[in-house]
Amino acid sequence: MRDLGELSRAAEQALGWARAQPGVSEVEAFVSANAALLTRLNYTSHIPCNGVEEPKSVESYGIGLQIVLDAPGGRRLGFGSEPNDLSVSGIERAFDKARRAAVADPDFVSLPRPLAAPRTLSDYHDPALMRVSDERLVEAGWTIIGGALRTFLASSRLADLADGEEALRRLGLIISGDVTMIQERMAIASTAMPHVQTDETTLITSFVTSMVEAHAAKGSGWSTGTRLDDFSDEAGGEAARAAIAALGGTRVPSGRYTVVFGRQPVADILNDLVLPACNAETFYASASPFLGRLGRRVASSALSIYDHGAMPGMMGSKGITCEGLPTGRTDLIREGVLTGCLSCWYETERLMRDPQRADKLGGADDAVRAAALVPRNGFRFGAGGGRQFASRPSIAATNVVVEGAEPLDRDELFRRVGNGLYVGRIWYTYPINGLRAGDFTCTVTADSYMIRSATSASTPSPTSRTPVADPRLPAIARACRVQIIRMLAHAGSGQPGRPPRPATW
Amino acid sequence: MAAITVDLIDRARENVPALLADARRRLPHLAYADLRLEVTESRHAIAENGAERSSGDDYACTAGVRVLAGDRSVAPGWLGIVLGAADVADLEARLREALERAYRRAMANAEHKATAREKFGPLGATLAELKLYTVDVRRDVVPAVYRIDPRSVPLGDMVAAAVDVSRAIAAAEPSVRYNWIPLLTQLTRELFASTEGAVIDQAFALTQGAASVVAVGAETSQELYDVMGHQRGWEVIAGGVDDPLLAFPPFRDFALALAHDAAELAAAPPLPSSEREVVVVTDPHYNTLVSHEIVGHPAELDRALKMETAYAGRSWLLADLDAHQVGQRIASPLVTAYSDPALPGYGHYAYDHEGTPARRVTHIERGIFRGFMNSRQTAAVFGGEPNGHFKATSAALVPLIRMSNTVFDGGDADPARIVGDVDRGYYMVGHRIPSIAESRENFRISARKVYAIERGELTRLYRDGGIAADTRAYLMNVDAVGRDFRLYPIPNCGKGQPMQSKKLGNGGPTMRSRARVLGG
């Protein structure tokens, strides 16, 4: 992987070379090197398998140039990139592509300018994780498989269910998921911010699903970290324990329930519904369910949500955005009131000059709107991980945190619910009739329980939990927009982070 | 140093077989290796609200290697790389290095696998030797089909075309407050070579126009998105597509029709939900997504064999190797469904990404489930010959079992009669957004437009509605299948980790069944 010095020199050279070309009024040089390493896990006790199915990786590096050309018909904005060449010839090829591609975008105002806030997060990556070997990548996958298999073998519940080795295999024990490592390096320099800025990020995640398939019992295990030392076999063991705990589940009859969402469902609902609704581009397109609601109540007053890209140790943290701007905290909903949007430089500048900005965004005046649109979320994520030199910036969340006004632990939440459903994992969460309509559909897939009060609701007492049988759970949940927000408001004080999201179409 | 073009494949076709032969000779315990190299030359233009937004012409060059190797066991290792113009001079060295790294991963993986097999007693037994089902080893060249070469289209013409359509929408439909119009045309050439001797050089043209529109009404807004396209050249945008199975008007008309629908729907009421099942008639565009979600995905054998348990889910069609639905009735005798790479459109190809000749696989034959899309590895596990459905979205990514053109077959009923025979029911026109259960055993799919049917006539138009049903019951209740079969492109089928967004084809005719209708 190219080191930071090479990337920095290339960014500086690209800026100097490109700004010297005739007709060029602004330049932004973005240089990055990325690697996404992943071992996909597939163990099945009842079907021949490989255990670690795919130790694999995709690596890339290169340069991306945004240029502004002063032309007779007006300014033109272009973007071009070139992989695997940080020399002048690579810069020239990226520049030629940008010049050929330049268009007269009337909404373009300028390339990013410095913000008043300083950068707060530096030198936070793990050098050991940045140099992982092929052999260590493979070993990581087997570490998780080992954790889960040891848990299955040690389980007395499974032993009670299966009298003999063949019967144990016939239980249909499944370990599925992955270990993912992301290595990112970037350097950026521009006409307005000519001093080269750099950033290095590492993260390692494991996302594991285990099943005792013959008993329709499924459980999940997770781990996320930014350092190789954070990694262990725990996610495998956790998933296997969760699958075993789900034995004896019952199917849930159709109906209306009081629902408590665990962290993964909260993250899923944020990812697919709330964050798209809080995206500046969605407001520009008049597609947000929160259209014109800035400064107004959109949720329960118990609910606050913010995005914070500069939290030390969190897997979504970055020192700077892919526009060279400092990351930081953006309050999206504070005590139920819409207070901010995820935005990048282009979208902020465009929306602030939109004649319909008051109708689209809301807010008392331009000062309020500007405060809501600080461009802290312009990133070039893609290809399963990495800051992609071949992409222009777009809006992406970092670490999204949900806070309740009255933080409760899970048991207290269950006690207050009395009878209901705890939903620990959902899937295929889509705004089924479009984002603006505000309703969604998803399927409950694992880690879920019936909540039943042990005594009458008037007498506080421990609640009992019965696992929900997963695979044929016909639980297609529906809720209107107001209900979604109410559910979120009671989700407790967890920080859902950004787990890898299984999605399909 | 010139930019990379698809002609790079000519050189690779000469040299890669020798690289693979050398690897087989040199690397101990290498059982099999294949290498894919892909070059795409593409152009795009985007207009937004009547203005130029962006454009670009570029190349993408990627390579991917799979190695099966091991001493005490055999296991896979993979590697993907991105290549640039600076790599052309040393292309063979870069590919050799990739082969060696994938080999190291496979060897390490095999060693861990052998150790785990010994260490985990009864649960180690299914860590089996990796086998690939034997297929015909082919050497072939498949050219792309197009009239206007994607590489010849001036970027300025593409930008002008996108802006023209974007402005036409704004002029025609005042309630459409936002539109986004991306156009794409590209030529891709792929090389597949293996240590078994396969050398396959396939080329594909692809041209696509998409439209995203937001119409604002008094109470709500309607956001619609749709895509037209074909594996052809730039002629598709101006002239549309006129194939017996795949037909589109010129892109301008296509986008204006979508905008008109959005405007009409923004003023329509939401669909009221039904308490129980009602008669539903679904049009070919709607059935495109139904065939995708409840036939195609559960008929992918990697999913059925639990390999996607953590991600895209499993399949209700297979519990284990001895308990599955093959040979069982899962649908009405009127229902036949299959995947066929020989059909035109986005799902057309001659060979998949492990060199298997692609062929039709019947999933449902007059109501009886017959089989799965597969790969060489999954065919070796489950049985049945490989049918050529192991595909990746880029050579740098691993292939997965993917749909080609997965469709409901046409029937013989007059589509007008299928509606006309309904006393009370609903007509679903166009697909919108799906949400499907983990093993595809039930589903909810929203429609672009929903009409009430009263005494055989279409009456009121509704927005924000669709159907929800149990998959098997829905298929069993099909009582009419039309003769108006149509194919459509699906531009973004997501699967895998990291997510691969794949272009493929789906389709079907007008059909009638029973389901609950759910409104927004």
Side-chain angles (χ1 to χ4, degrees):
Chain A
M1 195 173 184
R2 299 287 157 166
D3 67 40
L4 212 50
E6 289 177 282
L7 305 187
S8 297
R9 284 190 293 277
E12 188 172 14
Q13 187 172 33
L15 174 63
W17 187 92
R19 72 197 305 186
Q21 302 308 303
V24 173
S25 61
E26 282 197 68
V27 177
E28 178 190 77
F30 180 85
V31 188
S32 69
N34 302 289
L37 301 97
L38 190 146
T39 56
R40 192 165 68 85
L41 314 175
N42 177 48
Y43 171 84
T44 43
S45 71
H46 49 327
I47 297 170
C49 64
N50 280 314
V52 167
E53 181 63 34
E54 294 160 6
K56 60 188 177 183
S57 65
V58 179
E59 298 166 22
S60 66
Y61 72 94
I63 183 162
L65 281 178
Q66 284 203 92
I67 60 172
V68 181
L69 300 168
D70 288 331
R75 291 189 312 159
R76 299 174 72 81
L77 173 68
F79 175 77
S81 67
E82 180 65 22
N84 294 16
D85 189 355
L86 303 183
S87 71
V88 172
S89 58
I91 294 165
E92 284 182 28
R93 276 197 299 277
F95 182 85
D96 286 346
K97 291 176 197 175
R99 188 168 53 192
R100 287 199 304 271
V103 296
D105 178 350
D107 295 323
F108 172 73
V109 178
S110 74
L111 292 175
R113 301 287 188 259
L115 299 181
R119 174 177 181 163
T120 59
L121 191 61
S122 298
D123 294 328
Y124 58 98
H125 74 288
D126 178 16
L129 188 47
M130 198 63 98
R131 325 180 270 273
V132 162
S133 67
D134 289 324
E135 288 77 9
R136 184 72 182 85
L137 171 68
V138 173
E139 184 188 339
W142 284 102
T143 298
I144 297 292
I145 294 282
L149 287 179
R150 276 189 291 276
T151 304
F152 281 140
L153 285 170
S155 167
S156 56
R157 287 195 73 188
L158 293 185
D160 289 344
L161 288 172
D163 54 348
E165 295 185 354
E166 182 55 33
L168 185 64
R169 285 193 289 271
R170 279 204 308 272
L171 290 176
L173 306 178
I174 296 175
I175 307 161
S176 178
D178 65 81
V179 179
T180 297
M181 305 173 194
I182 304 292
Q183 305 161 335
E184 303 169 333
R185 288 189 175 121
M186 61 151 283
I188 188 168
S190 66
T191 311
M193 294 181 280
H195 177 69
V196 177
Q197 299 181 79
T198 62
D199 206 7
E200 286 184 275
T201 313
T202 49
L203 61 95
I204 181 166
T205 67
S206 185
F207 164 53
V208 187
T209 299
S210 277
M211 288 197 73
V212 183
E213 196 179 30
H215 289 261
K218 185 193 279 185
S220 309
W222 313 77
S223 71
T224 62
T226 58
R227 310 188 68 81
L228 194 54
D229 290 346
D230 295 337
F231 179 74
S232 73
D233 66 356
E234 178 51 27
E238 180 188 8
R241 284 192 298 276
I244 294 165
L247 289 166
T250 58
R251 295 190 65 179
V252 179
S254 296
R256 298 177 71 88
Y257 295 87
T258 300
V259 174
V260 176
F261 282 139
R263 291 183 176 191
Q264 188 275 345
V266 172
D268 220 33
I269 290 168
L270 286 172
N271 256 335
D272 290 298
L273 302 163
V274 179
L275 297 178
C278 294
N279 182 311
E281 204 170 357
T282 314
F283 282 92
Y284 178 78
S286 301
S288 173
F290 302 147
L291 204 65
R293 306 279 296 176
L294 183 65
R296 295 166 67 184
R297 171 68 55 84
V298 296
S300 157
S301 60
L303 181 75
S304 294
I305 301 174
Y306 61 90
D307 177 272
H308 199 330
M311 296 170 80
M314 300 296 282
M315 63 175 281
S317 293
K318 312 287 176 195
I320 53 173
T321 70
C322 297
E323 300 183 299
L325 302 175
T327 52
R329 173 169 169 157
T330 300
D331 285 287
L332 303 172
I333 295 173
R334 195 186 307 139
E335 295 177 351
V337 174
L338 183 69
T339 52
C341 301
L342 302 173
S343 193
C344 62
W345 182 267
Y346 178 95
E347 295 298 343
T348 292
E349 297 297 304
R350 174 162 78 161
L351 200 45
M352 286 304 295
R353 286 164 179 78
D354 187 336
Q356 297 173 323
R357 60 188 179 278
D359 291 337
K360 288 181 176 178
L361 202 58
D365 53 35
D366 274 351
V368 170
R369 287 186 281 272
L373 285 170
V374 180
R376 300 187 185 99
N377 293 83
F379 293 102
R380 308 183 197 222
F381 297 144
R387 309 174 82 160
Q388 304 297 328
F389 61 88
S391 301
R392 294 168 68 179
S394 60
I395 297 168
T398 59
N399 304 298
V400 180
V401 177
V402 178
E403 285 183 346
E406 183 193 6
L408 303 174
D409 64 30
R410 191 176 290 178
D411 285 341
E412 173 61 15
L413 201 52
F414 289 167
R415 193 192 63 77
R416 291 195 187 183
V417 167
N419 293 294
L421 278 178
Y422 171 75
V423 175
R425 185 165 162 192
I426 59 175
W427 183 70
Y428 223 136
T429 307
Y430 276 171
I432 193 82
N433 289 304
L435 200 55
R436 184 78 195 276
D439 58 341
F440 72 98
T441 298
C442 60
T443 300
V444 177
T445 58
D447 308 312
S448 299
Y449 295 85
M450 301 285 291
I451 305 167
R452 294 199 185 95
S453 175
T455 59
S456 69
S458 58
T459 308
S461 67
T463 51
S464 66
R465 279 174 264 167
T466 304
V468 168
D470 157 55
R472 292 170 190 80
L473 183 68
I476 291 181
R478 298 181 60 239
C480 72
R481 173 162 49 95
V482 175
Q483 285 172 317
I484 296 170
I485 300 303
R486 282 187 185 145
M487 289 175 190
L488 283 168
H490 291 286
S493 57
Q495 297 180 358
R498 301 177 63 217
R501 185 168 66 87
T504 194
W505 212 83
Chain B
M1 207 180 302
I4 289 179
T5 71
V6 293
D7 295 338
L8 184 66
I9 299 294
D10 289 328
R11 173 175 143 194
R13 199 171 70 197
E14 294 300 314
N15 298 338
V16 166
L19 275 178
L20 288 162
D22 175 63
R24 179 151 207 183
R25 201 167 41 244
R26 206 161 37 83
L27 303 174
H29 307 297
L30 184 147
Y32 169 88
D34 61 38
L35 190 154
R36 291 171 291 128
L37 179 67
E38 178 181 309
V39 179
T40 296
E41 293 182 62
S42 69
R43 287 154 191 256
H44 81 272
I46 300 175
E48 193 177 25
N49 284 349
E52 300 176 7
R53 185 71 163 88
S54 74
S55 74
D57 66 313
D58 208 346
Y59 72 87
C61 181
T62 55
V65 176
R66 166 170 63 168
V67 171
L68 309 183
D71 179 8
R72 295 192 298 141
S73 175
V74 174
W78 301 77
L79 189 92
I81 55 173
V82 174
L83 296 164
D87 299 305
V88 169
D90 299 321
L91 177 66
E92 288 75 16
R94 295 294 316 276
L95 297 178
R96 185 180 296 112
E97 180 188 313
L99 267 164
E100 288 175 0
R101 285 193 62 193
Y103 167 76
R104 282 205 302 274
R105 290 177 181 178
M107 289 295 289
N109 197 16
E111 191 56 30
H112 280 287
K113 185 175 167 183
T115 302
R117 200 156 52 193
E118 294 161 4
K119 190 171 168 185
F120 292 109
L123 296 185
T126 54
L127 293 167
E129 289 303 308
L130 175 57
K131 292 183 184 133
L132 301 182
Y133 198 107
T134 302
V135 294
D136 285 345
V137 173
R138 300 286 184 94
R139 301 174 73 88
D140 202 355
V141 177
V142 183
V145 180
Y146 53 81
R147 208 166 67 239
I148 300 176
D149 188 333
R151 298 168 295 180
S152 71
V153 186
L155 266 185
D157 290 2
M158 291 185 69
V159 172
V163 168
D164 169 61
V165 172
S166 184
R167 288 181 179 163
I169 288 172
E173 301 291 348
S175 69
V176 173
R177 304 281 176 81
Y178 176 80
N179 72 71
W180 181 73
I181 307 295
L183 301 176
L184 168 73
T185 189
Q186 66 182 35
L187 184 68
T188 298
R189 202 166 153 195
E190 305 171 350
L191 176 73
F192 172 84
S194 74
T195 50
E196 293 172 341
V199 183
I200 297 165
D201 172 0
Q202 296 186 93
F204 305 89
L206 186 139
T207 299
Q208 175 175 290
S212 178
V213 296
V214 179
V216 179
E219 295 178 3
T220 189
S221 60
Q222 275 287 295
E223 183 177 10
L224 297 182
Y225 172 77
D226 204 2
V227 164
M228 66 161 282
H230 194 12
Q231 288 199 44
R232 293 290 184 272
W234 179 245
E235 66 273 12
V236 164
I237 296 299
V241 178
D242 186 17
D243 184 287
L245 303 178
L246 181 74
F248 288 108
F251 176 63
R252 195 176 199 273
D253 298 340
F254 171 88
L256 283 167
L258 187 78
H260 178 73
D261 278 355
E264 194 180 17
L265 285 162
L271 177 71
S273 298
S274 67
E275 288 302 314
R276 55 181 64 86
E277 284 184 354
V278 296
V279 175
V280 292
V281 178
T282 51
D283 83 338
H285 191 280
Y286 187 88
N287 287 328
T288 291
L289 194 52
V290 177
S291 65
H292 182 99
E293 301 291 4
I294 72 169
V295 176
H297 277 312
E300 296 162 345
L301 192 51
D302 53 355
R303 183 191 291 259
L305 293 176
K306 329 297 177 190
M307 297 169 77
E308 291 283 328
T309 299
Y311 307 120
R314 296 164 298 140
S315 169
W316 69 280
L317 297 169
L318 190 144
D320 62 41
L321 297 180
D322 302 319
H324 48 70
Q325 298 293 325
V326 176
Q328 302 298 309
R329 177 166 296 285
I330 64 164
S332 140
L334 295 175
V335 177
T336 291
Y338 54 84
S339 294
D340 191 351
L343 294 179
Y346 278 17
H348 176 82
Y349 53 88
Y351 299 91
D352 73 358
H353 288 148
E354 55 180 353
T356 302
R359 63 180 175 83
R360 176 185 289 206
V361 52
T362 298
H363 304 306
I364 304 172
E365 182 182 27
R366 292 192 283 277
I368 308 298
F369 183 68
R370 293 298 182 198
F372 297 92
M373 288 166 269
N374 64 17
S375 62
R376 295 180 65 185
Q377 181 181 333
T378 55
V381 171
F382 185 67
E385 286 194 23
N387 47 47
H389 284 82
F390 202 45
K391 298 275 286 181
T393 56
S394 148
L397 301 171
V398 303
L400 306 158
I401 296 176
R402 305 305 295 257
M403 291 173 235
S404 49
N405 288 300
T406 300
V407 299
F408 288 116
D409 199 9
D412 55 12
D414 174 0
R417 284 294 303 272
I418 293 176
V419 172
D421 287 346
V422 176
D423 182 44
R424 294 181 72 84
Y426 292 91
Y427 182 44
M428 305 285 149
V429 179
H431 65 254
R432 200 170 176 205
I433 299 173
S435 185
I436 319 295
E438 189 263 0
S439 293
R440 307 273 152 176
E441 64 276 36
N442 53 44
F443 67 95
R444 181 181 179 193
I445 297 175
S446 57
R448 184 186 300 172
K449 301 197 282 189
V450 182
Y451 290 94
I453 306 172
E454 296 172 44
R455 291 181 291 283
E457 299 288 331
L458 300 184
T459 57
R460 191 161 195 183
L461 170 68
Y462 295 103
R463 64 172 162 87
D464 295 341
I467 65 177
D470 172 89
T471 300
R472 189 175 185 281
Y474 181 78
L475 292 173
M476 291 292 288
N477 281 331
V478 171
D479 66 359
V481 177
R483 57 178 179 242
D484 54 342
F485 175 88
R486 286 278 299 275
L487 269 170
Y488 290 94
I490 293 287
N492 57 344
C493 174
K495 187 175 176 183
Q497 184 75 1
M499 174 74 78
Q500 298 186 38
S501 184
K502 182 98 178 63
K503 292 182 171 66
L504 47 83
N506 290 109
T510 296
M511 299 170 79
R512 189 172 62 209
S513 184
R514 297 183 62 81
R516 281 188 67 200
V517 297
L518 294 177

